[in-house]
Amino acid sequence: MIPAREQIYRDYAFAANGRQRLKLNLVVCEESWEKIDEQARTVTETSRHAWLSSQPLRQDNVHERCNLGARHRWGIEAGFLVEKHQGYHYEHAFALDWNAMKGYHLLMRLAHVFNTLARFTRQLRNLYQELGVRGAIAFIRNSCAAPWLDPARLRLLLAEPFLLQLE
């Protein structure tokens, strides 16, 4: 069954001490849908979401901005939560220089992407199963920083086509 979805949107204005006026574009989405529980009974689930936008919300743009944009943004935020709480130790203020902060952020995102790809490649699957995620990351980092890697052999390997097989 397609979930019944009701969306109510409105502009919201807030006045602080009557002198400053802040106009907020607010949309509230209330949803309900039916699902089957463990005892094979039909139950109604509900959820409520609220989004703020810097641009005006209207009937013709609310679906695109909120359902297609804001909900997708939640997936991005989930990636940040992994980086903050699951071994990356990512925080907001690592530098006072704007370019340094942008560089740190981009390097963190790249590290997360590389680690995610590595976890699901056929070539590294056993390493991750044996050592776990943090152990495999530590092993790879220590291997890259160690003096036993032969630069000439690495250049030869990097000159050949490379294939990663995802599973």
Side-chain angles (χ1 to χ4, degrees):
M1 177 178 192
I2 298 175
R5 181 177 296 178
E6 178 183 350
Q7 293 184 329
I8 303 165
Y9 67 96
R10 63 183 175 270
D11 286 337
Y12 177 79
F14 170 76
N17 296 332
R19 288 187 268 177
Q20 294 179 338
R21 187 166 175 83
L22 177 65
K23 184 175 180 177
L24 301 175
N25 299 293
L26 172 71
V27 65
V28 175
C29 174
E30 300 199 27
E31 298 176 318
S32 64
W33 64 95
E34 291 181 345
K35 73 176 215 175
I36 307 298
D37 68 5
E38 293 83 23
Q39 287 80 32
R41 294 181 303 218
T42 302
V43 293
T44 301
E45 297 281 330
T46 61
S47 68
R48 183 176 189 205
H49 309 276
W51 297 287
L52 290 173
S53 175
S54 60
Q55 301 295 317
L57 295 163
R58 301 180 308 276
Q59 183 72 37
D60 63 337
N61 69 9
V62 70
H63 171 68
E64 181 180 16
R65 292 209 180 143
C66 297
N67 292 325
L68 303 179
R71 289 181 190 237
H72 175 70
R73 177 78 184 151
W74 181 250
I76 295 170
E77 294 295 330
F80 291 137
L81 289 175
V82 168
E83 292 164 5
K84 290 171 85 173
H85 303 292
Q86 294 182 13
Y88 292 89
H89 306 292
Y90 184 58
E91 295 292 335
H92 287 284
F94 269 81
L96 298 176
D97 179 79
W98 179 244
N99 286 329
M101 284 193 288
K102 286 193 306 186
Y104 182 84
H105 172 74
L106 292 173
L107 289 172
M108 180 63 68
R109 300 299 296 162
L110 282 171
H112 189 183
V113 166
F114 291 151
N115 289 331
T116 301
L117 285 173
R119 279 186 68 188
F120 298 103
T121 59
R122 180 178 296 160
Q123 294 87 344
L124 294 174
R125 180 184 57 217
N126 291 338
L127 177 71
Y128 277 85
Q129 286 176 346
E130 181 182 329
L131 300 177
V133 174
R134 289 185 183 180
I137 291 169
F139 176 79
I140 293 168
R141 182 189 179 284
N142 292 336
S143 295
C144 291
W148 58 78
L149 293 176
D150 179 16
R153 182 169 183 272
L154 288 176
R155 279 199 265 318
L156 286 173
L157 290 172
L158 291 173
E160 297 176 12
F162 186 70
L163 173 67
L164 281 178
Q165 295 177 334
L166 300 177
E167 294 194 349

